[in-house]
Amino acid sequence: MKLSAIEILAGLLIVLAGIKLLVVFVDAKVWLSFVKRVYARPAITSSVALLLAALVLYLLLQSGLTIVQVLAVTVFVALLLMVGVAPYARALFNWLETQSLPAMLRQQWLYIVIWVLLMAWGAIALVAP
């Protein structure tokens, strides 16, 4: 059986999420230790994640999905993330109030530019014939 790129990506998500859940249920501290190591070098973590995101977007587009479809799925995932983050919103807002928002925005310039470009691409695709 030959799997498509989308099926491979979905399979990877299923396997990796399954491993994560198993580890978290057995010993959450092991998972926390792993995550701390992954995020110990934020620049490397961000660079690798950005490259993987670009690869996944490329594979999704090559499989026949449009940027509009990808953005629509992003809405679904964002809503699921809200469910997970909502219980911690108060602590998150308390932390954010101790930060400099302008400094955070300057540090996140690449992330912001990428989102603006994706939204512009999606908007153009929506209005283009």
Side-chain angles (χ1 to χ4, degrees):
M1 167 173 73
K2 184 169 168 44
L3 298 177
S4 70
I6 289 180
E7 291 167 333
I8 292 169
L9 290 171
L12 278 171
L13 174 69
I14 292 164
V15 169
L16 294 175
I19 292 169
K20 174 188 175 179
L21 288 173
L22 182 65
V23 171
V24 167
F25 288 138
V26 170
D27 187 353
K29 289 182 181 181
V30 170
W31 183 256
L32 183 60
S33 173
F34 170 74
V35 172
K36 282 182 179 179
R37 284 195 311 272
V38 168
Y39 285 94
R41 295 190 175 132
I44 293 172
T45 302
S46 295
S47 298
V48 170
L50 182 59
L51 289 173
L52 290 173
L55 174 64
V56 168
L57 179 60
Y58 173 79
L59 292 172
L60 292 173
L61 296 172
Q62 289 300 305
S63 74
L65 290 177
T66 66
I67 189 62
V68 171
Q69 291 167 321
V70 171
L71 291 172
V73 171
T74 303
V75 172
F76 169 70
V77 173
L79 291 170
L80 285 178
L81 288 171
M82 283 180 68
V83 172
V85 172
Y88 309 102
R90 181 170 291 143
L92 178 60
F93 289 130
N94 287 340
W95 175 79
L96 282 171
E97 289 172 357
T98 68
Q99 306 302 306
S100 165
L101 188 56
M104 288 177 71
L105 292 174
R106 280 191 301 276
Q107 292 171 343
Q108 294 294 316
W109 71 270
L110 181 59
Y111 180 73
I112 294 165
V113 167
I114 290 168
W115 273 109
V116 168
L117 291 174
L118 288 171
M119 289 184 298
W121 183 6
I124 290 167
L126 282 173
V127 298

